[in-house]
Amino acid sequence: MTDTDPAPLRIATWNIRKALGTDRRRDPERVMRVIAGIGADAVLLQEADFRLPPRPPVLAADRLAEVTGLRAVRFDHGRESLGWHGNALLLRPGLDLVRTALHDLPGLEPRGMIEAVVATNSHTFRILGVHLGLLRASRRLQLSALNDLIPPAMDMPTLIAGDFNERSLRVGLGRLSPRFQILSGGPTWHSRRPLFALDRIAISPGFQAQSSTALHTALTRRASDHLPLVADLTLLPRGQSIPGTT
C-alpha cells in the first residue's frame, strides 16, 4: 500500500464505566470480550482507570493484549494508570506510534485529552481521545481548548473520539462542526434503553466515513451503561478530501 491508496480503518469509542456493568457487576473480562469482538484498529476508552489516586487501571495491559490482540498505548504521566483522566487508547499491531501527548482541559471537573500520531505504511494521522464535562459551560471551554490544540492548517487527517456528554450538534458541538464531520451511530446511553447519542467520532478532511453504528447486543447492554460506537472509515490518499469539506 502506498500513499496513493485509500486505507480502511475501524475506530471504536466506549465509556466502560470502570467495567461496572448495568447488572452492578464489575467484570473487566466481559469488557475485554466486547472489545475483542469489535475487531477495531484503534479503540478509545473512557473511564478506563479508577477515579481515586493513584488511579490504577481497570484493565490490565498484559491481559488486554492477550484477550483483544490490541496493545495499550503508554503515556508519559508517571502513573500506573492506563490513560489520562480515564482516557485510554488501544492499537492493533501494525499501527506505529510516531508521538504521544497529554493535555489538561479547562472546566469545573478535572478533564483531559490524549493525543497520538499514528502511522500505517505511508499514511499518518492524529487520534484524540476525550471525555468532556457534565456541564455545558465546561464543555464549551473544553471544545475551544481542543480546537486551539489542533493546528489551524490541519497538518494531517485528525479524528476525535470519546464521550462528548452532549446531545446537541448545533449548540453543544457547534465549535467542532466547521472543521469536522461529526458521526453518530445513534443513541449510546443508557445502554439498556438508549435515548441519547452522547458518544461521537469526529473526522477531519482526509477521512471518509463508510458507516457508524452503536453496538447494541445482549453483552454490551450489560457490560457498561454506554454502548460502544464503531465507525468504519477510509483514510484517503494524501491530498484528497471529500467534496464540500474543504
Side-chain angles (χ1 to χ4, degrees), residues 56-69:
V58 174
L59 311 174
D62 55 351
R63 184 66 180 150
L64 257 173
E66 181 180 347
V67 174
T68 70

Side-chain angles (χ1 to χ4, degrees), residues 12-195:
T13 181
W14 191 18
N15 184 331
I16 62 172
R17 197 171 67 153
K18 308 173 192 69
L20 182 64
T22 55
D23 55 5
R24 306 303 300 170
R25 290 176 52 231
R26 196 178 303 280
D27 191 342
E29 291 288 325
R30 176 169 59 186
V31 167
M32 290 187 284
R33 289 199 303 274
V34 172
I35 294 170
I38 293 172
D41 298 293
V43 179
L44 285 299
L45 298 178
Q46 301 84 51
E47 298 195 30
D49 303 311
F50 289 99
R51 184 174 294 275
L52 296 177
R55 300 203 67 167
V58 174
L59 311 174
D62 55 351
R63 184 66 180 150
L64 257 173
E66 181 180 347
V67 174
T68 70
L70 304 175
R71 74 185 191 279
V73 173
R74 304 305 299 180
F75 291 92
D76 186 17
H77 46 48
R79 300 177 180 174
E80 183 187 357
S81 308
L82 196 64
W84 182 245
H85 290 281
N87 297 296
L89 173 61
L90 314 178
L91 294 177
R92 70 162 171 82
L95 288 179
D96 298 322
L97 275 176
V98 177
R99 63 178 182 270
T100 61
L102 302 170
H103 306 279
D104 289 315
L105 296 177
L108 188 62
E109 312 157 82
R111 297 284 174 168
M113 179 176 72
I114 55 173
E115 176 182 0
V117 174
V118 178
T120 171
N121 296 310
S122 52
H123 295 75
T124 303
F125 59 98
R126 179 187 290 109
I127 299 176
L128 303 174
V130 297
H131 184 186
L132 301 185
L134 296 174
L135 300 176
R136 178 165 282 172
S138 291
R139 292 195 296 272
R140 286 174 172 170
L141 290 172
Q142 290 155 8
L143 288 168
S144 293
L146 190 157
N147 262 324
D148 290 343
L149 288 167
I150 300 171
M154 198 72 74
D155 56 335
M156 68 183 72
T158 297
L159 68 87
I160 309 165
D163 178 357
F164 283 75
N165 264 321
E166 179 58 66
R167 291 179 280 167
S168 171
L169 289 177
R170 183 178 62 85
V171 177
L173 298 177
R175 284 166 167 74
L176 281 186
S177 56
R179 304 176 73 191
F180 290 87
Q181 178 188 359
I182 302 171
L183 310 180
S184 171
T188 55
W189 187 91
H190 187 281
S191 59
R192 284 195 177 274
R193 184 174 293 181
L195 293 175

